[in-house]
Amino acid sequence: DSGVTQTPKHLITATGQRVTLRCSPRSGDLSVYWYQQSLDQGLQFLIQYYNGEERAKGNILERFSAQQFPDLHSELNLSSLELGDSALYFCASSVLAGVEQFFGPGTRLTVL
Amino acid sequence: DQQVKQNSPSLSVQEGRISILNCDYTNSMFDYFLWYKKYPAEGPTFLISISSIKDKNEDGRFTVFLNKSAKHLSLHIVPSQPGDSAVYFCAASARGAGSYQLTFGKGTKLSVIP
């Protein structure tokens, strides 16, 4: 158990809908990262937050957004969903100075 | 353009023998490298890392070697055990450039045969 929690574990929705994925980092970690793993793809970095502020952006679509709240949990919002958005979405956390990111169990999103 | 490549999608090794997983990278800014292990239905688990100032790091049965001139790293597992069967991801970051995001390879599925 990495100490990072993600909810829900599974999510099935329809095209055009909007969903919110939630992540709670390990106790004491200020930085949260979101990654997407599509079929046959490695993990793709989406976005990083540190202590409530956005720090880095990767290959994140404009239809996707995220935020980190004062209690340090983070949410990833996916809107106008398309079939191609079906993937595993992982959250990871770390102290900023360290690079060892600890991953949650992921949320499997299926868009029908 | 893939900046981190794991050219072997799968590898089978006999229990007790050495497993060698390889990884190549193209971005010269990468200065920190990590290996993660992933079981089905779980998130990746951090295994071992190495800074670009070193060429070897060892932790129990796991050793990572870094060849900067060849932009190549490898993970050695000795001896291999059936519980090591998982997908192994190589990852890299450019800490010196202030970037902590990880760039991952596509993974190598290791099967350790009893």
Side-chain angles (χ1 to χ4, degrees):
Chain A
D1 185 356
S2 67
V4 179
T5 60
Q6 287 187 250
T7 56
K9 196 169 179 63
H10 300 280
L11 197 48
I12 301 174
T13 188
T15 54
Q17 295 298 304
R18 172 188 167 96
V19 297
T20 298
L21 313 184
R22 183 188 168 107
C23 167
S24 293
R26 293 186 318 159
S27 176
D29 283 358
L30 299 178
S31 196
V32 169
Y33 310 76
W34 286 96
Y35 292 85
Q36 178 193 56
Q37 184 182 23
S38 302
L39 194 64
D40 295 332
Q41 294 292 319
L43 288 89
Q44 303 283 322
F45 169 72
L46 295 178
I47 196 163
Q48 176 199 0
Y49 277 81
Y50 174 73
N51 203 21
E53 293 191 4
E54 181 184 305
R55 276 296 175 95
K57 253 183 175 176
N59 299 319
I60 187 166
L61 299 172
E62 284 191 13
R63 300 184 285 109
F64 296 0
S65 65
Q67 58 185 134
Q68 186 179 28
F69 294 86
D71 67 352
L72 300 177
H73 91 272
S74 177
E75 292 181 357
L76 179 66
N77 300 297
L78 315 176
S79 61
S80 303
L81 285 167
E82 301 175 359
L83 296 177
D85 297 328
S86 295
L88 271 168
Y89 291 85
F90 289 102
C91 166
S93 73
S94 74
V95 294
L96 184 60
V99 183
E100 289 75 17
Q101 295 175 21
F102 295 86
F103 283 76
T107 293
R108 181 174 290 280
L109 173 66
T110 302
V111 182
L112 300 175
Chain B
D1 179 31
Q2 252 196 305
Q3 298 184 63
V4 177
K5 296 179 185 178
Q6 294 177 255
N7 291 319
S8 298
S10 63
L11 175 68
S12 288
V13 171
Q14 209 71 32
E15 180 180 3
R17 305 295 292 269
I18 184 171
S19 294
I20 300 176
L21 295 95
N22 294 303
C23 177
D24 298 295
Y25 62 97
T26 57
N27 189 339
S28 300
M29 298 296 288
F30 288 150
D31 57 7
Y32 201 82
F33 305 89
L34 307 89
W35 285 93
Y36 282 84
K37 172 180 176 180
K38 186 180 180 306
Y39 293 117
E42 294 183 11
T45 302
F46 169 71
L47 205 53
I48 193 169
S49 61
I50 188 166
S51 164
S52 60
I53 62 173
K54 294 185 175 182
D55 53 19
K56 177 182 174 182
N57 188 25
E58 196 170 348
D59 183 1
R61 297 186 298 112
F62 302 92
T63 303
V64 56
F65 295 92
L66 176 62
N67 182 334
K68 285 194 299 285
S69 60
K71 293 191 174 68
H72 176 84
L73 62 154
S74 60
L75 174 68
H76 292 210
I77 306 173
V78 184
S80 301
Q81 299 173 354
D84 295 330
S85 297
V87 177
Y88 289 78
F89 290 98
C90 170
S93 71
R95 281 202 303 181
S99 172
Y100 295 95
Q101 67 191 66
L102 297 177
T103 301
F104 283 85
K106 291 189 176 182
T108 296
K109 184 176 182 180
L110 173 65
S111 300
V112 180
I113 305 161

